[in-house]
Amino acid sequence: EVQLVESGGDLVQPGRSLRLSCQTSGYSFAESGMAWFRQPPGKGLEWVAFVRNTLLGGNVEYAASLKDRFVISRDDSESTAYLHMNSLIREDTAVYYCARYFCTRFNCFLDYWGQGTQVTVSS
Amino acid sequence: EIVLTQSPATLSLSPGERATLSCGASQSVRSYLAWFQQKPGQAPRLLIYDASNRATGIPARFSGSGSGTDFNLTISSLEPEDFAVYFCFHRSAWPWTFGQGTTVEMK
């Protein structure tokens, strides 16, 4: 059974850093990309970052407004993806989700999501 | 950035009725459009990928259509568990973006 479990969300002060983890199981982690998304309270979904699978080079992509403060990484030996968030601001307050980006020969899709982890930035 | 615009914002229907949700893209996303369902306090759930492919385990009452800039999600006969928020999403180019969502509420 495929599972994704986020952790690391917390209440932090503006300007501080936080690292989120997405522990996965039940599939070959190295063969899939991983993405992070977020959802501010009462609002819609926003894509944050993406890391390709290792076989394709593990390249990363970021939402333009976040690329200077957020870093996505992956540890295939631990089947875990990370999101390092620096210089946090109040607008980063959201539930953060990780998702598996799985590709067949013909299609790619975000088929499994974690339950989300809450990040609150407040003094 | 490709902007996805969903309509209507809210759809008020009864169980058993047909629901048609629309998603328009500011430029072509080819067929790289997905639909997600989200219920309060839950993660998004993939319904449709690449415009018209049902994800694993999704009932046949859900169908997707369209290509380029105009897409629809149809729920042929609403079940009580289908009342939720629906988001369209594209992966055609960076950045990936979502529509603002359509709420399907019970009349």
Side-chain angles (χ1 to χ4, degrees):
Chain A
E1 181 191 6
V2 174
Q3 289 191 319
L4 285 70
V5 179
E6 301 99 337
S7 61
D10 204 351
L11 168 62
V12 294
Q13 293 180 329
R16 302 300 292 266
S17 298
L18 202 59
R19 187 186 77 167
L20 305 183
S21 301
C22 176
Q23 174 72 58
T24 75
S25 60
Y27 71 100
S28 178
F29 180 77
E31 296 180 6
S32 292
M34 292 296 298
W36 285 94
F37 300 86
R38 68 183 184 180
Q39 187 167 36
K43 295 190 176 181
L45 293 160
E46 179 186 15
W47 167 70
V48 172
F50 171 73
V51 58
R52 288 178 180 80
N53 72 49
T54 303
L55 300 178
L56 292 178
N59 309 70
V60 299
E61 302 284 349
Y62 296 97
S65 62
L66 301 175
K67 67 182 180 67
D68 292 336
R69 298 189 296 118
F70 286 18
V71 178
I72 189 172
S73 63
R74 60 187 299 152
D75 184 338
D76 289 354
S77 68
E78 296 291 332
S79 298
T80 300
Y82 299 98
L83 184 68
H84 305 254
M85 304 185 294
N86 302 306
S87 303
L88 285 161
I89 59 177
R90 288 181 174 80
E91 290 73 21
D92 295 322
T93 294
V95 175
Y96 285 73
Y97 297 101
C98 62
R100 180 178 84 155
Y101 185 72
F102 182 76
C103 293
T104 66
R105 184 176 175 187
F106 302 105
N107 308 100
C108 296
F109 38 82
L110 297 156
D111 58 347
Y112 285 92
W113 293 60
Q115 83 289 352
T117 188
Q118 177 69 50
V119 173
T120 302
V121 183
S122 175
S123 54
Chain B
E1 173 175 319
I2 297 174
V3 176
L4 299 180
T5 302
Q6 292 186 239
S7 62
T10 304
L11 206 47
S12 298
L13 295 168
S14 300
E17 290 193 293
R18 182 184 186 89
T20 302
L21 290 66
S22 296
C23 178
S26 59
Q27 59 187 275
S28 176
V29 297
R30 293 171 282 176
S31 292
Y32 297 138
L33 187 108
W35 291 94
F36 292 89
Q37 177 194 69
Q38 190 177 33
K39 297 179 180 178
Q42 296 185 16
R45 174 193 182 197
L46 177 66
L47 300 175
I48 301 289
Y49 63 90
D50 292 352
S52 60
N53 299 280
R54 260 191 310 277
T56 301
I58 301 303
R61 64 181 181 272
F62 291 92
S63 63
S65 63
S67 67
T69 60
D70 295 299
F71 299 85
N72 287 329
L73 173 70
T74 300
I75 311 171
S76 59
S77 178
L78 282 163
E79 296 288 339
E81 62 267 27
D82 299 337
F83 293 92
V85 180
Y86 293 83
F87 294 96
C88 59
F89 164 85
H90 88 85
R91 63 175 185 91
S92 173
W94 305 106
W96 292 348
T97 57
F98 289 87
Q100 80 280 16
T102 290
T103 299
V104 178
E105 65 176 23
M106 198 176 298
K107 185 187 290 184

